[in-house]
Amino acid sequence: MTSAYADFIDELQQDVTIPIQPPMDDLAPGTRAVIYLRVSSTGQVRTDYNPEGISIPAQREACLRKARELGVTVIDEYVEPGRSGTEMTKREAFQQMLARVRSQGDVDVIIIYQLSRMARNRYDDAIVMADLRKRGVTLVSATEAIDDTPVGQLMHGILATFNEYQSRQSGADIAYKMGQKARNGGTLGRAKIGYLNHIDHSDGRVIRTIIVDPERAPFVQLGFELFATGDYTQEELADELYDRGLRTRATRRHPAKKISENKISQMLRDRYYLGYVEYDGEEIQGRHEPLIDEDLFDTVQEILESRMTAQERRRVHHHYLKGSLFCGRCQRDGIKRRMIIQRTINSKGAEYLYFFCRGRQKGLCQAPHVNVTLVEDAVERHYSAIRFSQPFIADMRDQIDAVLGEQEKSARLLRKQITAQLKELDTKEENLIDLAADSTLPRTKVKEKLRDIARERRRLEERLDTANADLTDSAQLVNAGLALLKQPDQLYRRCNDQQRRLLNQAIFHALYIEDDKITDGELREPFGELHAIQDQRAGATGAEGASKRTTRDAGGPCTPSGVAVLLRGLHSGTCSSKTSKVELRGFEPLTP
């Protein structure tokens, strides 16, 4: 058995710098007492209007009563609020009391509330008691029969053994329960940034769990996304998130403040945000909601690892294509890897910028470095490949107008029909009330029929709300997409770097480049859906042209039903039904 106190006792005896009360010469030896009061957690001192809580005053009263019984005078007290019983060396007030006993010699009796308040380790207890006996100090418990008599010393030994057993048993029980909670996916301790501790009262049970913090979770997600661009150091990311509004959770002692760079570093490496908890070296699927996905986390880890490998601070190289380019060679192997930028200075001091695949840093990709100028030219050329033809744009707009017209006509008819049904329900309700007043029908039956009418009215009113919903927002989004890609290559050439960055992010999820050519592009919606429709029509036109031996631009008309499916898909949320984040007026000069 070991004792932290045993290693600490010599140090206390040699170097005592704790202020001590002067001795009280007017009291006879043998009658001078101090009392020692302790609670084991800070929560126990926050349970009453009294700053000391309930436990400390109750212990003080019992100890003073014991002092009166013994006929001794209490010359001082030592209070330990919220200190663990297992580490005696960490208890300030306890060490102050022992230092006074050794250096001042004006203490004859120490009164404690219970032996467990002093020590829960038999070895610590034995060392302290030997030291007190050597100095002629008696330890007395206010609630237990321990003193310097043989029976009192026997009781002291039994209680010390029992207290240690109880402490170890409680610790093992708590550790087991914590382990079970973690293995079931629960979170131990205080919630991490982006989450909140929550108490769920379900079926009469109290369940402590974790929920997403609606205020800070979006900043955590944004932090990962910004760092994944490669444009930020951890220090810069901490500043950026602070500027955008991220703060720590305020506590009783500390107000909300900026998240430190160290905390940002821990957050970026923590798989907890993927939905996992770690316990005793084991990773377990957690019950909490993940805030980011595996791809984003892996990208962030690659950036962190690359900067650690280089053993130098990352130099920031801004470029409007950063974050939009991915390796075309890796894509052919079914892997998505981002292209990053590198700055090189030759022997004459000339600066060159290159894009290269992140996989090269680990020897996972052999794609060559590509000069930034060649990449810019390749992206500019690619914009001419995503334009919509004039006949397609005109036909789509005609069909959108037709769909909206049909929708309005159908909605008017549906509203008329539902309104008529609601009027019929009003008539039925009035008739039933009249019958109830005349006692023609039993009241119970009348109430039941009225409830049926009320349910039917709610259903029809909900249906009427649905009938009033239209596809106008979706139509505006599609029209904006059509206008944007009418002459996208010309628009792109006229944009400045910032506008090009916004345009790339608005149109593409990803651009894949191999050597100096764009090999593929993942379009955002509605551009992807619109191109699918145009390609479908072009295919139909090709077949028709081959059979008739005629040439046509962009084929037969798009069916109203196909456009309706597209608009309803946007409206229902399969794509964004909101107005495009990159509006036409965000690019200069304005498109028609």
Side-chain angles (χ1 to χ4, degrees), residues 423-471:
K423 287 182 178 178
E424 288 181 13
L425 289 177
D426 290 339
T427 303
K428 288 181 180 179
E429 190 174 54
E430 291 173 4
N431 292 337
L432 281 170
I433 292 172
D434 291 340
L435 290 172
D438 296 340
S439 301
T440 307
L441 282 177
R443 288 186 178 275
T444 305
K445 197 167 185 178
V446 170
K447 288 181 180 179
E448 184 180 343
K449 287 184 175 295
L450 287 173
R451 280 195 294 268
D452 292 341
I453 289 174
R455 280 194 294 269
E456 181 65 12
R457 180 181 285 110
R458 283 196 299 271
R459 188 186 69 80
L460 289 173
E461 287 172 348
E462 290 172 2
R463 188 75 177 86
L464 187 61
D465 290 340
T466 305
N468 288 330
D470 60 39
L471 307 177

Short mmCIF file of all heavy atoms in Angstrom, two decimals, residues 423-471:
data_model
loop_
_atom_site.label_atom_id
_atom_site.label_comp_id
_atom_site.label_asym_id
_atom_site.label_seq_id
_atom_site.Cartn_x
_atom_site.Cartn_y
_atom_site.Cartn_z
N LYS A 423 -67.89 24.50 -46.12
CA LYS A 423 -69.22 25.08 -45.93
C LYS A 423 -70.24 24.00 -45.59
O LYS A 423 -71.13 24.20 -44.75
CB LYS A 423 -69.65 25.82 -47.20
CG LYS A 423 -68.92 27.14 -47.41
CD LYS A 423 -69.42 27.85 -48.66
CE LYS A 423 -68.71 29.18 -48.84
NZ LYS A 423 -69.14 29.88 -50.08
N GLU A 424 -70.12 22.83 -46.23
CA GLU A 424 -71.02 21.71 -45.91
C GLU A 424 -70.84 21.29 -44.45
O GLU A 424 -71.81 20.98 -43.76
CB GLU A 424 -70.72 20.53 -46.83
CG GLU A 424 -71.17 20.73 -48.28
CD GLU A 424 -70.88 19.51 -49.12
OE1 GLU A 424 -70.56 18.44 -48.55
OE2 GLU A 424 -70.96 19.61 -50.35
N LEU A 425 -69.58 21.27 -43.99
CA LEU A 425 -69.33 20.90 -42.59
C LEU A 425 -69.96 21.92 -41.64
O LEU A 425 -70.51 21.55 -40.59
CB LEU A 425 -67.83 20.80 -42.32
CG LEU A 425 -67.10 19.61 -42.94
CD1 LEU A 425 -65.61 19.68 -42.64
CD2 LEU A 425 -67.66 18.29 -42.40
N ASP A 426 -69.90 23.20 -42.00
CA ASP A 426 -70.53 24.24 -41.17
C ASP A 426 -72.03 24.00 -41.06
O ASP A 426 -72.63 24.13 -39.97
CB ASP A 426 -70.27 25.63 -41.76
CG ASP A 426 -68.80 26.03 -41.63
OD1 ASP A 426 -68.11 25.44 -40.77
OD2 ASP A 426 -68.35 26.90 -42.40
N THR A 427 -72.65 23.64 -42.18
CA THR A 427 -74.11 23.37 -42.19
C THR A 427 -74.44 22.18 -41.31
O THR A 427 -75.39 22.20 -40.52
CB THR A 427 -74.59 23.12 -43.63
OG1 THR A 427 -74.25 24.26 -44.44
CG2 THR A 427 -76.09 22.90 -43.67
N LYS A 428 -73.63 21.10 -41.44
CA LYS A 428 -73.88 19.91 -40.62
C LYS A 428 -73.75 20.24 -39.14
O LYS A 428 -74.53 19.78 -38.30
CB LYS A 428 -72.88 18.81 -40.98
CG LYS A 428 -73.13 18.16 -42.34
CD LYS A 428 -72.09 17.06 -42.59
CE LYS A 428 -72.32 16.39 -43.93
NZ LYS A 428 -71.31 15.34 -44.21
N GLU A 429 -72.74 21.03 -38.80
CA GLU A 429 -72.51 21.39 -37.41
C GLU A 429 -73.69 22.18 -36.84
O GLU A 429 -74.16 21.92 -35.73
CB GLU A 429 -71.22 22.21 -37.31
CG GLU A 429 -70.74 22.44 -35.88
CD GLU A 429 -69.39 23.13 -35.86
OE1 GLU A 429 -69.28 24.21 -36.49
OE2 GLU A 429 -68.46 22.60 -35.23
N GLU A 430 -74.20 23.13 -37.63
CA GLU A 430 -75.36 23.93 -37.18
C GLU A 430 -76.58 23.05 -36.97
O GLU A 430 -77.33 23.20 -35.99
CB GLU A 430 -75.65 25.03 -38.19
CG GLU A 430 -74.58 26.12 -38.23
CD GLU A 430 -74.82 27.10 -39.37
OE1 GLU A 430 -75.86 26.94 -40.07
OE2 GLU A 430 -73.98 28.00 -39.57
N ASN A 431 -76.79 22.11 -37.90
CA ASN A 431 -77.95 21.20 -37.78
C ASN A 431 -77.85 20.34 -36.52
O ASN A 431 -78.85 20.12 -35.82
CB ASN A 431 -78.05 20.31 -39.01
CG ASN A 431 -78.43 21.10 -40.26
OD1 ASN A 431 -79.02 22.19 -40.16
ND2 ASN A 431 -78.13 20.57 -41.43
N LEU A 432 -76.65 19.85 -36.25
CA LEU A 432 -76.46 19.02 -35.06
C LEU A 432 -76.72 19.83 -33.78
O LEU A 432 -77.33 19.33 -32.82
CB LEU A 432 -75.04 18.46 -35.02
CG LEU A 432 -74.78 17.24 -35.92
CD1 LEU A 432 -73.30 16.93 -35.98
CD2 LEU A 432 -75.55 16.01 -35.38
N ILE A 433 -76.26 21.06 -33.76
CA ILE A 433 -76.49 21.91 -32.58
C ILE A 433 -77.99 22.15 -32.38
O ILE A 433 -78.51 22.12 -31.24
CB ILE A 433 -75.73 23.24 -32.74
CG1 ILE A 433 -74.21 22.97 -32.68
CG2 ILE A 433 -76.12 24.23 -31.66
CD1 ILE A 433 -73.35 24.16 -33.02
N ASP A 434 -78.71 22.36 -33.49
CA ASP A 434 -80.17 22.54 -33.40
C ASP A 434 -80.84 21.28 -32.86
O ASP A 434 -81.75 21.35 -32.01
CB ASP A 434 -80.75 22.88 -34.78
CG ASP A 434 -80.32 24.27 -35.25
OD1 ASP A 434 -79.92 25.07 -34.38
OD2 ASP A 434 -80.36 24.51 -36.47
N LEU A 435 -80.39 20.09 -33.35
CA LEU A 435 -80.98 18.83 -32.87
C LEU A 435 -80.69 18.62 -31.39
O LEU A 435 -81.54 18.13 -30.64
CB LEU A 435 -80.42 17.66 -33.69
CG LEU A 435 -80.88 17.57 -35.15
CD1 LEU A 435 -80.11 16.48 -35.89
CD2 LEU A 435 -82.39 17.27 -35.22
N ALA A 436 -79.50 19.00 -30.98
CA ALA A 436 -79.16 18.86 -29.56
C ALA A 436 -80.03 19.78 -28.71
O ALA A 436 -80.46 19.41 -27.61
CB ALA A 436 -77.69 19.18 -29.35
N ALA A 437 -80.27 20.97 -29.20
CA ALA A 437 -81.10 21.92 -28.46
C ALA A 437 -82.54 21.41 -28.32
O ALA A 437 -83.20 21.64 -27.30
CB ALA A 437 -81.08 23.27 -29.15
N ASP A 438 -83.03 20.72 -29.37
CA ASP A 438 -84.40 20.18 -29.33
C ASP A 438 -84.46 18.82 -28.64
O ASP A 438 -85.54 18.21 -28.57
CB ASP A 438 -84.95 20.03 -30.76
CG ASP A 438 -85.09 21.39 -31.45
OD1 ASP A 438 -85.13 22.39 -30.72
OD2 ASP A 438 -85.11 21.42 -32.69
N SER A 439 -83.31 18.32 -28.18
CA SER A 439 -83.23 16.98 -27.55
C SER A 439 -83.68 15.87 -28.49
O SER A 439 -84.18 14.83 -28.05
CB SER A 439 -84.05 16.95 -26.26
OG SER A 439 -83.59 17.92 -25.34
N THR A 440 -83.58 16.10 -29.80
CA THR A 440 -83.97 15.06 -30.76
C THR A 440 -82.96 13.92 -30.76
O THR A 440 -83.33 12.76 -30.91
CB THR A 440 -84.06 15.68 -32.18
OG1 THR A 440 -84.91 16.81 -32.12
CG2 THR A 440 -84.58 14.66 -33.19
N LEU A 441 -81.69 14.26 -30.62
CA LEU A 441 -80.63 13.24 -30.56
C LEU A 441 -80.00 13.23 -29.16
O LEU A 441 -79.94 14.28 -28.51
CB LEU A 441 -79.54 13.55 -31.59
CG LEU A 441 -79.84 13.20 -33.06
CD1 LEU A 441 -78.67 13.65 -33.93
CD2 LEU A 441 -80.07 11.71 -33.25
N PRO A 442 -79.52 12.08 -28.70
CA PRO A 442 -78.83 12.03 -27.40
C PRO A 442 -77.58 12.91 -27.44
O PRO A 442 -76.90 13.01 -28.46
CB PRO A 442 -78.43 10.55 -27.28
CG PRO A 442 -79.33 9.82 -28.20
CD PRO A 442 -79.65 10.75 -29.33
N ARG A 443 -77.31 13.56 -26.31
CA ARG A 443 -76.19 14.50 -26.25
C ARG A 443 -74.85 13.80 -26.55
O ARG A 443 -73.96 14.37 -27.18
CB ARG A 443 -76.12 15.16 -24.88
CG ARG A 443 -77.23 16.18 -24.65
CD ARG A 443 -77.03 16.92 -23.33
NE ARG A 443 -78.06 17.93 -23.14
CZ ARG A 443 -78.00 19.16 -23.65
NH1 ARG A 443 -76.96 19.51 -24.38
NH2 ARG A 443 -78.97 20.03 -23.43
N THR A 444 -74.69 12.56 -26.07
CA THR A 444 -73.44 11.83 -26.30
C THR A 444 -73.18 11.64 -27.78
O THR A 444 -72.06 11.84 -28.28
CB THR A 444 -73.49 10.46 -25.60
OG1 THR A 444 -73.80 10.64 -24.23
CG2 THR A 444 -72.16 9.73 -25.75
N LYS A 445 -74.24 11.28 -28.49
CA LYS A 445 -74.11 11.07 -29.94
C LYS A 445 -73.82 12.37 -30.67
O LYS A 445 -73.03 12.42 -31.63
CB LYS A 445 -75.40 10.44 -30.48
CG LYS A 445 -75.24 9.81 -31.86
CD LYS A 445 -76.43 8.95 -32.19
CE LYS A 445 -76.19 8.23 -33.51
NZ LYS A 445 -77.32 7.35 -33.87
N VAL A 446 -74.42 13.45 -30.21
CA VAL A 446 -74.18 14.76 -30.82
C VAL A 446 -72.72 15.16 -30.64
O VAL A 446 -72.06 15.63 -31.58
CB VAL A 446 -75.12 15.82 -30.21
CG1 VAL A 446 -74.71 17.21 -30.67
CG2 VAL A 446 -76.56 15.56 -30.60
N LYS A 447 -72.19 14.98 -29.42
CA LYS A 447 -70.80 15.34 -29.15
C LYS A 447 -69.84 14.54 -30.02
O LYS A 447 -68.84 15.05 -30.54
CB LYS A 447 -70.47 15.12 -27.67
CG LYS A 447 -71.11 16.13 -26.74
CD LYS A 447 -70.72 15.86 -25.30
CE LYS A 447 -71.37 16.87 -24.34
NZ LYS A 447 -71.02 16.60 -22.94
N GLU A 448 -70.15 13.24 -30.17
CA GLU A 448 -69.30 12.39 -31.00
C GLU A 448 -69.27 12.86 -32.45
O GLU A 448 -68.22 12.95 -33.08
CB GLU A 448 -69.80 10.95 -30.91
CG GLU A 448 -68.92 9.97 -31.66
CD GLU A 448 -69.43 8.54 -31.55
OE1 GLU A 448 -70.26 8.27 -30.65
OE2 GLU A 448 -69.01 7.72 -32.37
N LYS A 449 -70.45 13.21 -32.97
CA LYS A 449 -70.52 13.68 -34.36
C LYS A 449 -69.83 15.05 -34.52
O LYS A 449 -69.20 15.32 -35.55
CB LYS A 449 -71.98 13.77 -34.81
CG LYS A 449 -72.63 12.39 -35.04
CD LYS A 449 -74.03 12.54 -35.58
CE LYS A 449 -74.65 11.18 -35.92
NZ LYS A 449 -73.92 10.52 -37.03
N LEU A 450 -69.94 15.89 -33.51
CA LEU A 450 -69.26 17.18 -33.57
C LEU A 450 -67.74 17.00 -33.58
O LEU A 450 -67.03 17.74 -34.27
CB LEU A 450 -69.68 18.06 -32.39
CG LEU A 450 -71.10 18.65 -32.45
CD1 LEU A 450 -71.44 19.34 -31.14
CD2 LEU A 450 -71.25 19.61 -33.63
N ARG A 451 -67.27 16.02 -32.81
CA ARG A 451 -65.82 15.74 -32.81
C ARG A 451 -65.37 15.25 -34.19
O ARG A 451 -64.31 15.63 -34.68
CB ARG A 451 -65.47 14.72 -31.73
CG ARG A 451 -65.37 15.30 -30.33
CD ARG A 451 -64.68 14.35 -29.38
NE ARG A 451 -65.46 13.13 -29.17
CZ ARG A 451 -66.35 12.98 -28.18
NH1 ARG A 451 -66.56 13.98 -27.33
NH2 ARG A 451 -67.02 11.87 -28.05
N ASP A 452 -66.19 14.42 -34.83
CA ASP A 452 -65.87 13.94 -36.18
C ASP A 452 -65.79 15.10 -37.16
O ASP A 452 -64.90 15.16 -38.02
CB ASP A 452 -66.92 12.93 -36.65
CG ASP A 452 -66.86 11.62 -35.87
OD1 ASP A 452 -65.79 11.36 -35.24
OD2 ASP A 452 -67.85 10.87 -35.87
N ILE A 453 -66.73 16.02 -37.03
CA ILE A 453 -66.74 17.19 -37.92
C ILE A 453 -65.49 18.04 -37.69
O ILE A 453 -64.88 18.54 -38.64
CB ILE A 453 -68.02 18.03 -37.70
CG1 ILE A 453 -69.24 17.27 -38.24
CG2 ILE A 453 -67.91 19.40 -38.36
CD1 ILE A 453 -70.57 17.93 -37.93
N ALA A 454 -65.10 18.20 -36.42
CA ALA A 454 -63.90 19.00 -36.11
C ALA A 454 -62.64 18.36 -36.71
O ALA A 454 -61.78 19.06 -37.26
CB ALA A 454 -63.75 19.15 -34.60
N ARG A 455 -62.55 17.03 -36.62
CA ARG A 455 -61.39 16.35 -37.21
C ARG A 455 -61.36 16.52 -38.72
O ARG A 455 -60.31 16.78 -39.31
CB ARG A 455 -61.43 14.85 -36.85
CG ARG A 455 -60.92 14.54 -35.46
CD ARG A 455 -60.66 13.06 -35.29
NE ARG A 455 -61.90 12.28 -35.37
CZ ARG A 455 -62.64 11.96 -34.31
NH1 ARG A 455 -62.27 12.36 -33.10
NH2 ARG A 455 -63.75 11.25 -34.45
N GLU A 456 -62.53 16.40 -39.36
CA GLU A 456 -62.60 16.55 -40.81
C GLU A 456 -62.25 17.99 -41.21
O GLU A 456 -61.58 18.21 -42.23
CB GLU A 456 -64.00 16.18 -41.29
CG GLU A 456 -64.22 16.29 -42.80
CD GLU A 456 -63.37 15.30 -43.59
OE1 GLU A 456 -62.80 14.38 -42.98
OE2 GLU A 456 -63.28 15.46 -44.81
N ARG A 457 -62.69 18.96 -40.41
CA ARG A 457 -62.38 20.35 -40.72
C ARG A 457 -60.86 20.60 -40.65
O ARG A 457 -60.29 21.28 -41.51
CB ARG A 457 -63.11 21.29 -39.75
CG ARG A 457 -62.82 22.77 -40.05
CD ARG A 457 -63.51 23.72 -39.09
NE ARG A 457 -64.93 23.83 -39.38
CZ ARG A 457 -65.91 23.36 -38.64
NH1 ARG A 457 -65.61 22.69 -37.52
NH2 ARG A 457 -67.17 23.50 -38.97
N ARG A 458 -60.21 20.04 -39.61
CA ARG A 458 -58.75 20.21 -39.51
C ARG A 458 -58.03 19.60 -40.70
O ARG A 458 -57.10 20.18 -41.23
CB ARG A 458 -58.24 19.57 -38.20
CG ARG A 458 -58.52 20.41 -36.95
CD ARG A 458 -57.67 19.94 -35.78
NE ARG A 458 -57.97 18.56 -35.42
CZ ARG A 458 -58.90 18.19 -34.55
NH1 ARG A 458 -59.65 19.12 -33.96
NH2 ARG A 458 -59.11 16.92 -34.27
N ARG A 459 -58.50 18.43 -41.14
CA ARG A 459 -57.88 17.78 -42.29
C ARG A 459 -58.02 18.62 -43.55
O ARG A 459 -57.06 18.80 -44.31
CB ARG A 459 -58.51 16.40 -42.50
CG ARG A 459 -57.81 15.55 -43.55
CD ARG A 459 -58.58 14.27 -43.82
NE ARG A 459 -59.85 14.54 -44.48
CZ ARG A 459 -59.97 14.77 -45.80
NH1 ARG A 459 -58.89 14.78 -46.56
NH2 ARG A 459 -61.15 14.99 -46.34
N LEU A 460 -59.22 19.16 -43.76
CA LEU A 460 -59.46 19.97 -44.96
C LEU A 460 -58.67 21.28 -44.90
O LEU A 460 -58.16 21.76 -45.93
CB LEU A 460 -60.95 20.26 -45.11
CG LEU A 460 -61.82 19.06 -45.50
CD1 LEU A 460 -63.30 19.43 -45.45
CD2 LEU A 460 -61.46 18.56 -46.89
N GLU A 461 -58.55 21.86 -43.72
CA GLU A 461 -57.79 23.11 -43.61
C GLU A 461 -56.30 22.88 -43.88
O GLU A 461 -55.64 23.71 -44.52
CB GLU A 461 -57.98 23.71 -42.21
CG GLU A 461 -59.38 24.33 -42.02
CD GLU A 461 -59.63 24.76 -40.58
OE1 GLU A 461 -58.82 24.36 -39.71
OE2 GLU A 461 -60.63 25.45 -40.33
N GLU A 462 -55.77 21.74 -43.41
CA GLU A 462 -54.38 21.40 -43.72
C GLU A 462 -54.21 21.19 -45.22
O GLU A 462 -53.21 21.60 -45.82
CB GLU A 462 -53.97 20.13 -42.97
CG GLU A 462 -53.82 20.34 -41.46
CD GLU A 462 -53.60 19.03 -40.72
OE1 GLU A 462 -53.52 17.97 -41.40
OE2 GLU A 462 -53.51 19.05 -39.48
N ARG A 463 -55.21 20.55 -45.83
CA ARG A 463 -55.17 20.33 -47.28
C ARG A 463 -55.22 21.66 -48.03
O ARG A 463 -54.56 21.84 -49.06
CB ARG A 463 -56.37 19.46 -47.68
CG ARG A 463 -56.36 18.99 -49.11
CD ARG A 463 -55.34 17.88 -49.31
NE ARG A 463 -55.39 17.39 -50.68
CZ ARG A 463 -54.71 17.94 -51.69
NH1 ARG A 463 -53.94 18.99 -51.47
NH2 ARG A 463 -54.77 17.44 -52.90
N LEU A 464 -55.97 22.60 -47.49
CA LEU A 464 -56.08 23.92 -48.12
C LEU A 464 -54.73 24.65 -48.04
O LEU A 464 -54.33 25.32 -48.99
CB LEU A 464 -57.17 24.74 -47.41
CG LEU A 464 -57.53 26.09 -48.06
CD1 LEU A 464 -58.06 25.88 -49.47
CD2 LEU A 464 -58.56 26.82 -47.21
N ASP A 465 -54.04 24.51 -46.91
CA ASP A 465 -52.71 25.12 -46.80
C ASP A 465 -51.75 24.55 -47.84
O ASP A 465 -50.96 25.28 -48.44
CB ASP A 465 -52.13 24.88 -45.40
CG ASP A 465 -52.88 25.68 -44.33
OD1 ASP A 465 -53.54 26.67 -44.69
OD2 ASP A 465 -52.80 25.30 -43.15
N THR A 466 -51.84 23.23 -48.06
CA THR A 466 -51.00 22.59 -49.07
C THR A 466 -51.33 23.12 -50.45
O THR A 466 -50.45 23.33 -51.29
CB THR A 466 -51.19 21.06 -49.03
OG1 THR A 466 -50.94 20.59 -47.72
CG2 THR A 466 -50.26 20.37 -50.01
N ALA A 467 -52.61 23.33 -50.70
CA ALA A 467 -53.03 23.83 -52.01
C ALA A 467 -52.49 25.23 -52.27
O ALA A 467 -52.26 25.61 -53.41
CB ALA A 467 -54.56 23.83 -52.10
N ASN A 468 -52.28 25.99 -51.21
CA ASN A 468 -51.80 27.36 -51.38
C ASN A 468 -50.30 27.43 -51.62
O ASN A 468 -49.78 28.47 -52.02
CB ASN A 468 -52.14 28.18 -50.13
CG ASN A 468 -53.63 28.46 -50.04
OD1 ASN A 468 -54.30 28.57 -51.06
ND2 ASN A 468 -54.14 28.57 -48.82
N ALA A 469 -49.58 26.34 -51.32
CA ALA A 469 -48.14 26.33 -51.54
C ALA A 469 -47.85 26.30 -53.03
O ALA A 469 -48.51 25.58 -53.78
CB ALA A 469 -47.52 25.11 -50.87
N ASP A 470 -46.88 27.09 -53.49
CA ASP A 470 -46.56 27.10 -54.91
C ASP A 470 -45.07 26.87 -55.13
O ASP A 470 -44.30 26.73 -54.18
CB ASP A 470 -47.02 28.39 -55.59
CG ASP A 470 -46.35 29.62 -54.98
OD1 ASP A 470 -45.15 29.53 -54.66
OD2 ASP A 470 -47.03 30.64 -54.83
N LEU A 471 -44.67 26.81 -56.40
CA LEU A 471 -43.31 26.49 -56.77
C LEU A 471 -42.54 27.73 -57.24
O LEU A 471 -41.56 27.61 -57.97
CB LEU A 471 -43.32 25.44 -57.89
CG LEU A 471 -44.14 24.17 -57.61
CD1 LEU A 471 -44.12 23.26 -58.82
CD2 LEU A 471 -43.61 23.44 -56.40
#
